[in-house]
Amino acid sequence: MEAKPVSRYTTAARINHWITAVSLVLLALSGLALFHPSLFFLTGLFGGGQMTRILHPWIGVVLALSFAGLFIRFFTLNFWKPEDTVWMKNLGKVMDGKDEELPELGKYNAGQKLVFWGQSILILVLLGSGVVLWDVYFSDYSSVDQKRWAALAHALCAVAAILIWIVHVYAVIWVKGTLRAMTRGSVTGGWAWKHHRKWFRQEVGKP
Protein backbone atom coordinates (compact mmCIF):
# COMPACT_ATOMS: atom_id res chain seq x y z
CA MET A 1 0.00 0.00 0.00
CA GLU A 2 1.37 3.35 -1.07
CA ALA A 3 2.16 5.71 1.81
CA LYS A 4 -0.46 8.27 0.83
CA PRO A 5 -1.57 10.73 3.55
CA VAL A 6 -5.05 10.15 5.00
CA SER A 7 -6.65 12.86 7.13
CA ARG A 8 -7.26 11.64 10.69
CA TYR A 9 -7.61 14.70 12.96
CA THR A 10 -8.58 18.30 12.34
CA THR A 11 -6.43 21.16 13.62
CA ALA A 12 -9.03 21.93 16.31
CA ALA A 13 -9.02 18.33 17.51
CA ARG A 14 -5.22 18.29 17.71
CA ILE A 15 -5.12 21.54 19.70
CA ASN A 16 -7.79 20.12 22.01
CA HIS A 17 -5.71 16.95 22.47
CA TRP A 18 -2.46 18.77 23.25
CA ILE A 19 -4.09 21.09 25.77
CA THR A 20 -5.43 18.00 27.51
CA ALA A 21 -2.06 16.24 27.35
CA VAL A 22 -0.07 19.20 28.68
CA SER A 23 -2.61 19.79 31.44
CA LEU A 24 -2.41 16.16 32.50
CA VAL A 25 1.39 16.24 32.67
CA LEU A 26 1.36 19.47 34.70
CA LEU A 27 -1.24 18.04 37.05
CA ALA A 28 0.79 14.87 37.51
CA LEU A 29 3.95 16.81 38.36
CA SER A 30 2.25 19.28 40.70
CA GLY A 31 0.14 16.56 42.28
CA LEU A 32 3.14 14.35 42.96
CA ALA A 33 4.93 17.36 44.46
CA LEU A 34 2.08 17.78 46.93
CA PHE A 35 1.63 14.06 47.51
CA HIS A 36 4.90 13.20 49.29
CA PRO A 37 7.74 15.21 50.88
CA SER A 38 10.36 13.33 48.84
CA LEU A 39 8.81 14.80 45.68
CA PHE A 40 8.44 18.34 47.01
CA PHE A 41 11.36 19.46 44.84
CA LEU A 42 8.95 19.34 41.90
CA THR A 43 7.27 22.46 43.26
CA GLY A 44 10.27 24.34 41.86
CA LEU A 45 8.70 23.89 38.44
CA PHE A 46 5.70 25.94 39.54
CA GLY A 47 7.29 28.68 41.63
CA GLY A 48 7.35 27.00 45.03
CA GLY A 49 4.99 25.13 47.31
CA GLN A 50 2.39 27.83 47.78
CA MET A 51 2.13 28.60 44.08
CA THR A 52 1.90 24.87 43.29
CA ARG A 53 -1.02 24.53 45.69
CA ILE A 54 -2.73 27.50 44.03
CA LEU A 55 -2.12 26.37 40.44
CA HIS A 56 -2.88 22.66 40.79
CA PRO A 57 -6.69 22.92 41.05
CA TRP A 58 -6.89 25.55 38.32
CA ILE A 59 -4.93 23.33 35.97
CA GLY A 60 -7.45 20.64 36.90
CA VAL A 61 -10.25 22.91 35.70
CA VAL A 62 -8.43 23.38 32.38
CA LEU A 63 -8.01 19.62 32.05
CA ALA A 64 -11.67 18.94 32.81
CA LEU A 65 -12.89 21.48 30.25
CA SER A 66 -10.42 20.35 27.62
CA PHE A 67 -11.19 16.66 28.10
CA ALA A 68 -14.90 17.46 27.93
CA GLY A 69 -14.18 18.79 24.45
CA LEU A 70 -12.44 15.56 23.49
CA PHE A 71 -15.26 13.51 24.97
CA ILE A 72 -17.89 15.34 22.94
CA ARG A 73 -15.81 14.93 19.79
CA PHE A 74 -15.02 11.24 20.09
CA PHE A 75 -17.32 9.37 22.47
CA THR A 76 -19.53 7.97 19.71
CA LEU A 77 -16.45 6.49 18.03
CA ASN A 78 -15.46 4.71 21.25
CA PHE A 79 -18.55 2.57 21.76
CA TRP A 80 -17.61 -1.10 22.22
CA LYS A 81 -18.24 -3.40 19.26
CA PRO A 82 -17.97 -7.17 18.70
CA GLU A 83 -14.66 -6.83 16.84
CA ASP A 84 -13.19 -5.15 19.91
CA THR A 85 -13.81 -8.28 21.97
CA VAL A 86 -12.09 -10.38 19.30
CA TRP A 87 -9.18 -7.92 19.27
CA MET A 88 -8.77 -8.21 23.04
CA LYS A 89 -8.82 -12.01 22.87
CA ASN A 90 -6.00 -11.95 20.31
CA LEU A 91 -3.55 -9.54 21.94
CA GLY A 92 -0.74 -11.94 21.07
CA LYS A 93 -1.37 -11.41 17.36
CA VAL A 94 -1.67 -7.67 17.97
CA MET A 95 1.74 -7.63 19.64
CA ASP A 96 3.20 -9.66 16.78
CA GLY A 97 1.84 -7.19 14.23
CA LYS A 98 -0.49 -9.73 12.60
CA ASP A 99 -3.33 -7.25 12.09
CA GLU A 100 -4.35 -8.96 8.87
CA GLU A 101 -5.52 -11.97 10.95
CA LEU A 102 -7.86 -9.80 13.04
CA PRO A 103 -11.24 -8.22 12.25
CA GLU A 104 -11.18 -4.90 10.43
CA LEU A 105 -11.32 -2.01 12.90
CA GLY A 106 -12.90 1.41 12.88
CA LYS A 107 -11.11 4.58 13.93
CA TYR A 108 -10.13 3.15 17.32
CA ASN A 109 -9.13 -0.30 18.55
CA ALA A 110 -10.15 -1.84 21.86
CA GLY A 111 -7.03 -0.64 23.65
CA GLN A 112 -7.65 2.95 22.60
CA LYS A 113 -11.27 2.69 23.70
CA LEU A 114 -10.26 1.38 27.12
CA VAL A 115 -7.88 4.33 27.50
CA PHE A 116 -10.65 6.74 26.49
CA TRP A 117 -13.29 5.38 28.87
CA GLY A 118 -10.79 4.80 31.66
CA GLN A 119 -9.59 8.39 31.55
CA SER A 120 -13.16 9.65 31.22
CA ILE A 121 -14.19 7.98 34.48
CA LEU A 122 -10.98 8.86 36.31
CA ILE A 123 -11.04 12.53 35.31
CA LEU A 124 -14.67 12.78 36.41
CA VAL A 125 -13.79 11.35 39.85
CA LEU A 126 -10.67 13.52 40.06
CA LEU A 127 -12.76 16.59 39.33
CA GLY A 128 -15.38 15.72 41.93
CA SER A 129 -12.88 14.82 44.65
CA GLY A 130 -10.76 17.82 43.77
CA VAL A 131 -13.67 20.17 44.33
CA VAL A 132 -14.21 18.64 47.79
CA LEU A 133 -10.53 19.27 48.60
CA TRP A 134 -10.49 22.84 47.20
CA ASP A 135 -10.88 24.54 50.57
CA VAL A 136 -10.40 28.06 49.25
CA TYR A 137 -13.84 27.93 47.65
CA PHE A 138 -15.62 24.83 48.94
CA SER A 139 -14.46 24.24 52.51
CA ASP A 140 -17.95 24.82 53.96
CA TYR A 141 -19.65 22.22 51.77
CA SER A 142 -18.07 19.00 53.08
CA SER A 143 -17.14 17.40 56.39
CA VAL A 144 -13.67 16.32 57.53
CA ASP A 145 -14.52 12.67 56.87
CA GLN A 146 -15.71 13.49 53.37
CA LYS A 147 -12.46 15.33 52.71
CA ARG A 148 -10.47 12.30 53.87
CA TRP A 149 -12.36 9.98 51.55
CA ALA A 150 -11.99 12.52 48.75
CA ALA A 151 -8.23 12.70 49.32
CA LEU A 152 -7.97 8.91 49.11
CA ALA A 153 -10.08 8.73 45.95
CA HIS A 154 -8.12 11.61 44.41
CA ALA A 155 -4.77 9.95 45.05
CA LEU A 156 -5.83 6.51 43.79
CA CYS A 157 -7.43 7.90 40.64
CA ALA A 158 -4.42 10.11 39.98
CA VAL A 159 -2.09 7.11 40.11
CA ALA A 160 -4.40 5.17 37.78
CA ALA A 161 -4.60 8.11 35.34
CA ILE A 162 -0.81 8.43 35.27
CA LEU A 163 -0.42 4.70 34.58
CA ILE A 164 -2.94 4.85 31.73
CA TRP A 165 -1.12 7.88 30.33
CA ILE A 166 2.16 5.93 30.38
CA VAL A 167 0.53 3.02 28.51
CA HIS A 168 -0.94 5.48 26.01
CA VAL A 169 2.41 7.12 25.33
CA TYR A 170 4.16 3.74 25.03
CA ALA A 171 1.56 2.55 22.51
CA VAL A 172 2.02 5.70 20.42
CA ILE A 173 5.78 5.11 20.31
CA TRP A 174 5.44 1.35 19.75
CA VAL A 175 3.07 1.64 16.77
CA LYS A 176 5.20 3.55 14.30
CA GLY A 177 3.40 6.30 12.43
CA THR A 178 0.81 6.94 15.14
CA LEU A 179 2.33 10.15 16.52
CA ARG A 180 2.06 11.74 13.09
CA ALA A 181 -1.74 11.75 13.49
CA MET A 182 -1.51 14.22 16.37
CA THR A 183 1.32 16.32 14.95
CA ARG A 184 0.39 16.56 11.27
CA GLY A 185 -3.24 15.51 11.44
CA SER A 186 -2.76 12.69 8.94
CA VAL A 187 -1.44 9.13 8.66
CA THR A 188 -0.14 7.18 5.70
CA GLY A 189 -2.47 5.02 3.68
CA GLY A 190 -0.38 2.00 4.63
CA TRP A 191 -0.74 2.74 8.35
CA ALA A 192 -4.51 3.20 8.02
CA TRP A 193 -4.89 -0.01 6.00
CA LYS A 194 -2.85 -2.05 8.47
CA HIS A 195 -4.31 -0.83 11.76
CA HIS A 196 -7.78 0.62 11.05
CA ARG A 197 -8.95 -0.88 7.80
CA LYS A 198 -12.69 -0.34 8.31
CA TRP A 199 -12.12 3.33 9.08
CA PHE A 200 -9.80 3.60 6.06
CA ARG A 201 -12.51 2.19 3.78
CA GLN A 202 -14.95 4.75 5.16
CA GLU A 203 -12.50 7.60 4.53
CA VAL A 204 -11.80 6.44 0.99
CA GLY A 205 -15.55 6.26 0.34
CA LYS A 206 -16.15 9.89 1.31
CA PRO A 207 -16.77 12.36 -1.52
Side-chain angles (χ1 to χ4, degrees), residues 132-151:
V132 174
L133 296 170
W134 203 354
D135 286 340
V136 175
Y137 300 105
F138 305 104
S139 61
D140 296 333
Y141 299 97
S142 58
S143 65
V144 173
D145 286 339
Q146 288 172 332
K147 293 181 190 299
R148 288 171 178 168
W149 282 110

Side-chain angles (χ1 to χ4, degrees), residues 96-190:
D96 290 337
K98 299 178 180 178
D99 297 77
E100 68 279 358
E101 298 180 20
L102 298 170
E104 294 187 357
L105 300 176
K107 190 165 187 175
Y108 299 111
N109 60 42
Q112 292 169 311
K113 291 179 179 181
L114 289 174
V115 167
F116 178 85
W117 291 111
Q119 293 294 55
S120 297
I121 294 171
L122 290 171
I123 289 174
L124 185 61
V125 177
L126 285 167
L127 176 63
S129 58
V131 168
V132 174
L133 296 170
W134 203 354
D135 286 340
V136 175
Y137 300 105
F138 305 104
S139 61
D140 296 333
Y141 299 97
S142 58
S143 65
V144 173
D145 286 339
Q146 288 172 332
K147 293 181 190 299
R148 288 171 178 168
W149 282 110
L152 177 61
H154 202 76
L156 292 175
C157 288
V159 171
I162 292 172
L163 291 176
I164 290 178
W165 177 82
I166 292 173
V167 171
H168 177 59
V169 172
Y170 176 79
V172 169
I173 296 173
W174 177 59
V175 182
K176 294 181 179 180
T178 301
L179 182 60
R180 168 180 172 152
M182 271 302 167
T183 55
R184 304 185 195 178
S186 64
V187 292
T188 65

Side-chain angles (χ1 to χ4, degrees), residues 190-202:
W191 184 97
W193 179 261
K194 179 176 176 60
H195 300 294
H196 299 274
R197 192 167 300 183
K198 182 187 292 187
W199 168 76
F200 181 60
R201 293 182 191 278
Q202 293 169 347

Side-chain angles (χ1 to χ4, degrees), residues 5-28:
V6 181
S7 178
R8 188 161 172 84
Y9 293 113
T10 63
T11 300
R14 298 201 306 277
I15 292 173
N16 193 172
H17 169 270
W18 286 113
I19 291 174
T20 302
V22 171
S23 299
L24 184 59
V25 171
L26 292 176
L27 278 172

